[in-house]
Protein backbone atom coordinates (compact mmCIF):
# COMPACT_ATOMS: atom_id res chain seq x y z
CA UNK A 1 0.00 0.00 0.00
CA UNK A 2 1.43 3.40 -0.97
CA UNK A 3 0.06 6.90 -0.99
CA UNK A 4 0.95 9.85 -3.17
CA UNK A 5 -0.23 13.31 -2.11
CA UNK A 6 -0.94 16.01 -4.66
CA UNK A 7 -0.30 18.75 -2.09
CA UNK A 8 3.07 20.53 -2.53
CA UNK A 9 5.62 19.78 0.14
CA UNK A 10 7.11 22.45 2.36
CA UNK A 11 10.31 22.30 0.36
CA UNK A 12 8.39 22.79 -2.88
CA UNK A 13 6.54 25.78 -1.48
CA UNK A 14 9.76 27.60 -0.66
CA UNK A 15 11.92 26.41 -3.50
CA UNK A 16 14.39 29.00 -4.85
CA UNK A 17 13.04 31.11 -7.68
CA UNK A 18 9.44 30.12 -7.02
CA UNK A 19 6.96 32.67 -5.69
CA UNK A 20 4.19 31.29 -3.52
CA UNK A 21 0.85 32.98 -4.16
CA UNK A 22 -1.46 33.05 -1.18
CA UNK A 23 -5.04 31.91 -1.44
CA UNK A 24 -6.26 35.39 -0.52
CA UNK A 25 -4.21 37.07 -3.24
CA UNK A 26 -5.47 34.70 -5.94
CA UNK A 27 -9.06 35.11 -4.75
CA UNK A 28 -8.96 38.91 -4.73
CA UNK A 29 -7.18 39.18 -8.07
CA UNK A 30 -9.60 36.74 -9.72
CA UNK A 31 -12.63 38.53 -8.25
CA UNK A 32 -11.30 41.90 -9.40
CA UNK A 33 -10.70 40.64 -12.94
CA UNK A 34 -14.23 39.24 -13.11
CA UNK A 35 -15.61 42.55 -11.84
CA UNK A 36 -13.61 44.57 -14.40
CA UNK A 37 -14.89 42.34 -17.21
CA UNK A 38 -18.46 42.87 -15.97
CA UNK A 39 -17.82 46.62 -15.89
CA UNK A 40 -16.54 46.60 -19.48
CA UNK A 41 -19.59 44.68 -20.67
CA UNK A 42 -22.41 46.27 -18.67
CA UNK A 43 -21.07 49.66 -17.53
CA UNK A 44 -18.07 50.83 -19.59
CA UNK A 45 -18.31 54.31 -18.13
CA UNK A 46 -17.33 52.96 -14.69
CA UNK A 47 -13.87 51.97 -15.96
CA UNK A 48 -13.15 55.06 -18.04
CA UNK A 49 -10.05 56.99 -16.98
CA UNK A 50 -12.17 59.88 -15.79
CA UNK A 51 -14.19 57.61 -13.52
CA UNK A 52 -11.12 55.79 -12.22
CA UNK A 53 -9.16 58.97 -11.49
CA UNK A 54 -12.14 60.25 -9.52
CA UNK A 55 -12.68 57.05 -7.53
CA UNK A 56 -9.07 55.96 -6.90
CA UNK A 57 -8.50 58.50 -4.07
CA UNK A 58 -11.45 57.05 -2.18
CA UNK A 59 -10.23 53.51 -2.85
CA UNK A 60 -6.90 54.61 -1.37
CA UNK A 61 -8.68 55.93 1.73
CA UNK A 62 -10.49 52.60 2.18
CA UNK A 63 -7.16 50.79 1.76
CA UNK A 64 -5.47 52.91 4.42
CA UNK A 65 -8.19 52.48 7.05
CA UNK A 66 -8.34 48.79 6.07
CA UNK A 67 -4.64 48.42 6.92
CA UNK A 68 -5.31 49.96 10.32
CA UNK A 69 -8.25 47.68 10.97
CA UNK A 70 -6.16 44.73 9.76
CA UNK A 71 -3.66 45.16 12.60
CA UNK A 72 -6.44 45.11 15.19
CA UNK A 73 -8.22 42.14 13.61
CA UNK A 74 -4.93 40.22 13.60
CA UNK A 75 -5.06 40.45 17.39
CA UNK A 76 -8.61 39.11 17.43
CA UNK A 77 -10.31 42.47 18.00
CA UNK A 78 -12.37 45.12 16.24
CA UNK A 79 -11.72 48.84 16.30
CA UNK A 80 -15.08 50.62 16.27
CA UNK A 81 -13.46 53.94 17.14
CA UNK A 82 -12.44 54.31 13.48
CA UNK A 83 -15.32 56.67 12.50
CA UNK A 84 -14.60 59.09 15.31
CA UNK A 85 -10.83 58.89 14.81
CA UNK A 86 -11.05 59.70 11.09
CA UNK A 87 -13.63 62.43 11.67
CA UNK A 88 -11.51 64.07 14.37
CA UNK A 89 -8.47 64.10 12.10
CA UNK A 90 -10.61 65.74 9.39
CA UNK A 91 -11.94 68.39 11.77
CA UNK A 92 -8.55 69.22 13.26
CA UNK A 93 -6.96 69.45 9.80
CA UNK A 94 -9.59 71.88 8.55
CA UNK A 95 -10.76 73.92 11.57
CA UNK A 96 -7.44 74.52 13.30
CA UNK A 97 -5.59 76.14 10.35
CA UNK A 98 -8.60 78.24 9.30
CA UNK A 99 -7.36 78.09 5.67
CA UNK A 100 -3.88 79.26 6.74
CA UNK A 101 -1.22 77.08 5.08
CA UNK A 102 1.33 78.10 7.70
CA UNK A 103 -0.65 76.38 10.45
CA UNK A 104 -1.22 73.16 8.55
CA UNK A 105 1.75 71.27 9.98
CA UNK A 106 0.66 72.18 13.51
CA UNK A 107 -2.83 70.92 12.74
CA UNK A 108 -1.47 67.61 11.45
CA UNK A 109 0.69 67.18 14.55
CA UNK A 110 -2.29 67.97 16.78
CA UNK A 111 -4.44 65.43 14.94
CA UNK A 112 -1.65 62.87 15.33
CA UNK A 113 -1.45 63.55 19.06
CA UNK A 114 -5.21 63.07 19.46
CA UNK A 115 -5.15 59.80 17.53
CA UNK A 116 -2.15 58.41 19.38
CA UNK A 117 -3.79 59.22 22.71
CA UNK A 118 -6.95 57.38 21.76
CA UNK A 119 -4.85 54.50 20.42
CA UNK A 120 -3.10 54.06 23.76
CA UNK A 121 -6.45 54.33 25.54
CA UNK A 122 -7.98 51.63 23.33
CA UNK A 123 -4.94 49.43 23.78
CA UNK A 124 -4.91 49.81 27.55
CA UNK A 125 -8.61 49.06 27.89
CA UNK A 126 -8.31 45.90 25.79
CA UNK A 127 -4.89 44.51 26.70
CA UNK A 128 -4.47 45.61 30.32
CA UNK A 129 -8.02 45.91 31.65
CA UNK A 130 -9.23 43.04 29.44
CA UNK A 131 -12.35 44.78 28.18
CA UNK A 132 -14.07 43.46 25.09
CA UNK A 133 -12.65 45.34 22.10
CA UNK A 134 -16.08 46.17 20.70
CA UNK A 135 -17.31 47.69 23.97
CA UNK A 136 -14.06 49.54 24.64
CA UNK A 137 -13.78 51.10 21.19
CA UNK A 138 -17.45 52.07 21.07
CA UNK A 139 -16.85 54.04 24.25
CA UNK A 140 -13.76 55.77 22.90
CA UNK A 141 -15.60 56.51 19.66
CA UNK A 142 -18.17 58.42 21.71
CA UNK A 143 -15.35 60.43 23.31
CA UNK A 144 -13.93 61.19 19.89
CA UNK A 145 -17.24 62.48 18.57
CA UNK A 146 -17.68 64.62 21.66
CA UNK A 147 -14.33 66.21 20.80
CA UNK A 148 -15.41 66.61 17.18
CA UNK A 149 -18.53 68.52 18.24
CA UNK A 150 -16.56 70.62 20.70
CA UNK A 151 -14.10 71.70 18.02
CA UNK A 152 -16.43 72.12 15.05
CA UNK A 153 -19.96 72.49 16.37
CA UNK A 154 -20.92 70.16 13.54
CA UNK A 155 -20.16 72.88 10.98
CA UNK A 156 -17.82 72.04 8.06
CA UNK A 157 -14.77 74.16 7.26
CA UNK A 158 -12.90 74.72 4.00
CA UNK A 159 -9.54 72.96 3.72
CA UNK A 160 -6.27 74.80 3.14
CA UNK A 161 -4.87 75.21 -0.35
CA UNK A 162 -1.66 73.41 0.57
CA UNK A 163 -3.47 70.34 1.88
CA UNK A 164 -5.72 70.31 -1.17
CA UNK A 165 -2.64 70.26 -3.41
CA UNK A 166 -0.90 67.54 -1.44
CA UNK A 167 -3.82 65.19 -0.81
CA UNK A 168 -6.06 66.07 -3.75
CA UNK A 169 -3.41 66.63 -6.41
CA UNK A 170 -1.87 64.26 -8.94
CA UNK A 171 1.67 63.12 -9.71
CA UNK A 172 2.54 61.38 -13.01
CA UNK A 173 -1.15 61.09 -13.75
CA UNK A 174 -2.08 59.28 -10.53
CA UNK A 175 -3.84 60.82 -7.51
CA UNK A 176 -1.42 61.51 -4.68
CA UNK A 177 -3.65 59.57 -2.29
CA UNK A 178 -2.73 56.41 -4.20
CA UNK A 179 0.96 56.96 -3.44
CA UNK A 180 0.18 57.37 0.25
CA UNK A 181 -1.77 54.09 0.17
CA UNK A 182 1.07 52.29 -1.62
CA UNK A 183 3.58 53.63 0.90
CA UNK A 184 1.41 52.48 3.80
CA UNK A 185 1.05 49.05 2.20
CA UNK A 186 4.80 48.68 1.71
CA UNK A 187 5.43 49.70 5.32
CA UNK A 188 2.90 47.30 6.82
CA UNK A 189 3.99 44.43 4.56
CA UNK A 190 7.64 44.90 5.46
CA UNK A 191 7.00 45.23 9.18
CA UNK A 192 4.73 42.18 9.35
CA UNK A 193 6.57 39.84 7.01
CA UNK A 194 10.23 40.82 7.19
CA UNK A 195 10.87 41.72 10.82
CA UNK A 196 11.10 39.67 14.00
CA UNK A 197 8.54 41.91 15.69
CA UNK A 198 6.10 41.35 12.84
CA UNK A 199 6.38 37.59 13.06
CA UNK A 200 5.87 37.75 16.81
CA UNK A 201 2.89 40.02 16.26
CA UNK A 202 1.24 37.44 13.98
CA UNK A 203 2.13 34.55 16.28
CA UNK A 204 0.54 36.29 19.27
CA UNK A 205 -2.57 37.03 17.21
CA UNK A 206 -2.86 33.36 16.30
CA UNK A 207 -2.48 32.19 19.92
CA UNK A 208 -1.97 34.63 22.81
CA UNK A 209 -1.63 31.71 25.23
CA UNK A 210 1.21 30.23 23.20
CA UNK A 211 2.83 33.66 23.02
CA UNK A 212 2.75 33.99 26.79
CA UNK A 213 4.16 30.49 27.16
CA UNK A 214 7.00 31.48 24.83
CA UNK A 215 7.77 34.53 26.95
CA UNK A 216 6.55 37.13 24.44
CA UNK A 217 5.14 40.48 25.57
CA UNK A 218 1.58 39.68 24.58
CA UNK A 219 -0.08 42.71 26.16
CA UNK A 220 2.44 45.08 24.59
CA UNK A 221 1.81 43.77 21.08
CA UNK A 222 -1.95 43.82 21.59
CA UNK A 223 -1.81 47.42 22.79
CA UNK A 224 0.40 48.58 19.93
CA UNK A 225 -2.03 47.15 17.38
CA UNK A 226 -4.54 49.82 18.40
CA UNK A 227 -1.87 52.54 18.48
CA UNK A 228 -0.59 51.74 14.99
CA UNK A 229 -4.14 51.52 13.69
CA UNK A 230 -4.78 55.08 14.84
CA UNK A 231 -1.80 56.28 12.79
CA UNK A 232 -3.51 55.02 9.65
CA UNK A 233 -6.86 56.50 10.66
CA UNK A 234 -5.15 59.85 11.17
CA UNK A 235 -3.51 59.63 7.73
CA UNK A 236 -6.85 58.79 6.15
CA UNK A 237 -8.55 61.71 7.89
CA UNK A 238 -5.90 64.19 6.78
CA UNK A 239 -6.13 62.93 3.19
CA UNK A 240 -9.92 63.20 3.23
CA UNK A 241 -9.59 66.77 4.46
CA UNK A 242 -7.50 67.56 1.39
CA UNK A 243 -9.45 65.55 -1.18
CA UNK A 244 -12.81 66.99 -0.13
CA UNK A 245 -12.86 70.79 -0.34
CA UNK A 246 -15.35 71.23 2.50
CA UNK A 247 -15.51 67.96 4.46
CA UNK A 248 -18.18 67.39 7.07
CA UNK A 249 -17.57 66.48 10.69
CA UNK A 250 -18.81 62.93 10.09
CA UNK A 251 -16.57 61.79 7.23
CA UNK A 252 -15.52 58.66 9.10
CA UNK A 253 -19.03 57.23 9.44
CA UNK A 254 -19.00 55.60 6.01
CA UNK A 255 -15.62 53.88 6.49
CA UNK A 256 -16.24 51.44 9.34
CA UNK A 257 -18.01 48.68 7.40
CA UNK A 258 -15.67 48.92 4.37
CA UNK A 259 -12.63 48.70 6.66
CA UNK A 260 -13.81 45.36 8.03
CA UNK A 261 -15.03 44.15 4.64
CA UNK A 262 -11.65 44.63 2.92
CA UNK A 263 -9.85 42.87 5.77
CA UNK A 264 -12.14 39.86 5.38
CA UNK A 265 -12.02 39.95 1.58
CA UNK A 266 -8.23 40.09 1.89
CA UNK A 267 -8.26 36.72 3.64
CA UNK A 268 -7.46 37.68 7.24
CA UNK A 269 -9.32 35.61 9.81
CA UNK A 270 -11.58 37.49 12.20
CA UNK A 271 -10.16 35.25 14.92
CA UNK A 272 -6.71 36.77 14.50
CA UNK A 273 -3.35 35.53 13.30
CA UNK A 274 -1.76 35.94 9.91
CA UNK A 275 -2.59 39.08 7.94
CA UNK A 276 -2.45 39.91 4.24
CA UNK A 277 -1.78 43.63 3.65
CA UNK A 278 -1.43 43.48 -0.15
CA UNK A 279 -4.62 41.45 -0.53
CA UNK A 280 -6.39 43.91 1.77
CA UNK A 281 -5.41 46.85 -0.45
CA UNK A 282 -6.49 44.99 -3.59
CA UNK A 283 -9.79 44.25 -1.86
CA UNK A 284 -10.21 47.98 -1.24
CA UNK A 285 -9.98 48.63 -4.98
CA UNK A 286 -12.40 45.76 -5.62
CA UNK A 287 -14.94 47.07 -3.12
CA UNK A 288 -14.69 50.64 -4.40
CA UNK A 289 -15.04 49.52 -8.02
CA UNK A 290 -18.00 47.33 -7.07
CA UNK A 291 -19.72 50.42 -5.68
CA UNK A 292 -18.94 52.37 -8.86
CA UNK A 293 -20.32 49.54 -10.98
CA UNK A 294 -23.50 49.41 -8.91
CA UNK A 295 -24.03 53.15 -9.30
CA UNK A 296 -23.41 52.94 -13.06
CA UNK A 297 -26.10 50.27 -13.54
CA UNK A 298 -28.66 52.29 -11.60
CA UNK A 299 -28.39 50.97 -8.04
CA UNK A 300 -29.24 53.88 -5.69
CA UNK A 301 -26.50 55.32 -3.51
CA UNK A 302 -28.54 54.43 -0.43
CA UNK A 303 -27.91 50.75 -1.21
CA UNK A 304 -24.12 51.07 -0.88
CA UNK A 305 -24.16 49.77 2.69
CA UNK A 306 -26.05 46.69 1.55
CA UNK A 307 -23.46 46.10 -1.18
CA UNK A 308 -20.63 46.37 1.33
CA UNK A 309 -22.40 43.98 3.70
CA UNK A 310 -22.86 41.49 0.85
CA UNK A 311 -19.16 41.79 0.01
CA UNK A 312 -18.33 41.10 3.67
CA UNK A 313 -20.58 38.03 3.62
CA UNK A 314 -18.99 36.91 0.35
CA UNK A 315 -15.53 37.12 1.90
CA UNK A 316 -16.56 35.14 4.98
CA UNK A 317 -18.22 32.51 2.79
CA UNK A 318 -15.31 32.11 0.38
CA UNK A 319 -12.66 31.68 3.05
CA UNK A 320 -14.87 29.30 5.04
CA UNK A 321 -14.71 26.80 2.19
CA UNK A 322 -11.94 24.24 1.89
CA UNK A 323 -10.28 24.60 -1.49
CA UNK A 324 -8.09 21.54 -1.42
CA UNK A 325 -7.75 18.18 0.19
CA UNK A 326 -5.40 15.26 0.05
CA UNK A 327 -5.89 13.04 -2.99
CA UNK A 328 -4.57 9.57 -2.36
CA UNK A 329 -3.68 6.97 -4.92
CA UNK A 330 -3.63 3.42 -3.62
CA UNK A 331 -2.05 0.43 -5.27
Amino acid sequence: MSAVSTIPTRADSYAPGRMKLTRSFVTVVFSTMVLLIACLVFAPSSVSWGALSGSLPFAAIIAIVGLGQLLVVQQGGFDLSLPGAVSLAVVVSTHYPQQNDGLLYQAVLLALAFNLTIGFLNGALVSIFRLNSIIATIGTNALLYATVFAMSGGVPSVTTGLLANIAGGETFGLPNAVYFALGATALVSFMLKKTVGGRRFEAIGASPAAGEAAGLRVRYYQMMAYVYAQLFYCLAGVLIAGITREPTAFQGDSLLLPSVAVVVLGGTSLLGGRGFPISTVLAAFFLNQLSQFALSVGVPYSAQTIIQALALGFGIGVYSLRWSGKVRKTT
Side-chain angles (χ1 to χ4, degrees):
M1 181 78 68
S2 64
V4 179
S5 173
T6 61
I7 297 179
T9 64
R10 183 178 180 85
D12 292 335
S13 300
Y14 297 92
R18 179 178 297 179
M19 182 177 68
K20 183 181 179 182
L21 298 178
T22 63
R23 171 182 174 182
S24 61
F25 181 83
V26 174
T27 301
V28 174
V29 169
F30 177 77
S31 300
T32 303
M33 291 177 63
V34 172
L35 175 60
L36 291 175
I37 292 173
C39 290
L40 288 171
V41 173
F42 299 105
S45 62
S46 65
V47 288
S48 65
W49 178 244
L52 288 175
S53 62
S55 64
L56 280 176
F58 297 99
I61 295 298
I62 295 175
I64 291 171
V65 296
L67 289 172
Q69 191 73 256
L70 167 72
L71 298 176
V72 176
V73 171
Q74 282 190 263
Q75 295 302 313
F78 290 98
D79 193 348
L80 302 189
S81 68
L82 184 154
V86 173
S87 297
L88 181 58
V90 170
V91 167
V92 173
S93 300
T94 54
H95 282 72
Y96 182 84
Q98 291 296 315
Q99 304 179 47
N100 183 351
D101 290 340
L103 296 177
L104 178 61
Y105 79 96
Q106 296 180 13
V108 173
L109 291 177
L110 181 60
L112 184 61
F114 275 124
N115 284 91
L116 286 176
T117 300
I118 211 68
F120 279 110
L121 177 59
N122 281 336
L125 291 175
V126 174
S127 64
I128 297 177
F129 295 99
R130 300 297 186 181
L131 293 182
N132 180 277
S133 63
I134 294 177
I135 296 174
T137 54
I138 284 179
T140 54
N141 189 62
L143 292 176
L144 285 165
Y145 268 121
T147 308
V148 166
F149 276 107
M151 293 191 66
S152 68
V155 179
S157 179
V158 178
T159 190
T160 65
L162 178 60
L163 185 56
N165 291 332
I166 294 174
E170 293 186 355
T171 303
F172 302 117
L174 280 178
N176 290 340
V178 173
Y179 294 105
F180 281 100
L182 292 176
T185 306
L187 176 63
V188 174
S189 298
F190 176 79
M191 295 301 294
L192 286 180
K193 307 301 179 183
K194 300 298 182 180
T195 66
V196 174
R199 290 190 286 271
R200 289 176 176 174
F201 182 86
E202 293 193 329
I204 290 172
S207 177
E212 289 184 351
L216 300 180
R217 295 182 295 172
V218 174
R219 295 189 181 185
Y220 169 79
Y221 282 99
Q222 290 176 341
M223 171 183 288
M224 295 310 295
Y226 292 88
V227 176
Y228 293 143
Q230 288 292 326
L231 295 178
F232 291 103
Y233 304 157
C234 181
L235 174 60
V238 173
L239 290 176
I240 291 174
I243 294 171
T244 307
R245 183 177 181 276
E246 194 172 349
T248 70
F250 311 99
Q251 292 287 154
D253 286 354
S254 61
L255 293 174
L256 179 58
L257 182 57
S259 73
V260 178
V262 298
V263 170
V264 174
L265 288 171
T268 302
S269 171
L270 294 178
L271 300 178
R274 189 181 181 191
F276 304 95
I278 295 177
S279 298
T280 299
V281 172
L282 292 175
F285 173 77
F286 169 82
L287 186 62
N288 185 74
Q289 188 58 36
L290 179 62
S291 298
Q292 295 300 314
F293 173 69
L295 291 174
S296 298
V297 297
V299 177
Y301 183 79
S302 57
Q304 293 299 307
T305 302
I306 298 176
I307 295 173
Q308 294 165 0
L310 290 175
L312 176 59
F314 170 78
I316 294 175
V318 167
Y319 295 114
S320 296
L321 299 175
R322 295 181 62 87
W323 280 20
S324 60
K326 288 186 177 182
V327 178
R328 297 181 178 275
K329 179 179 178 181
T330 59
T331 59

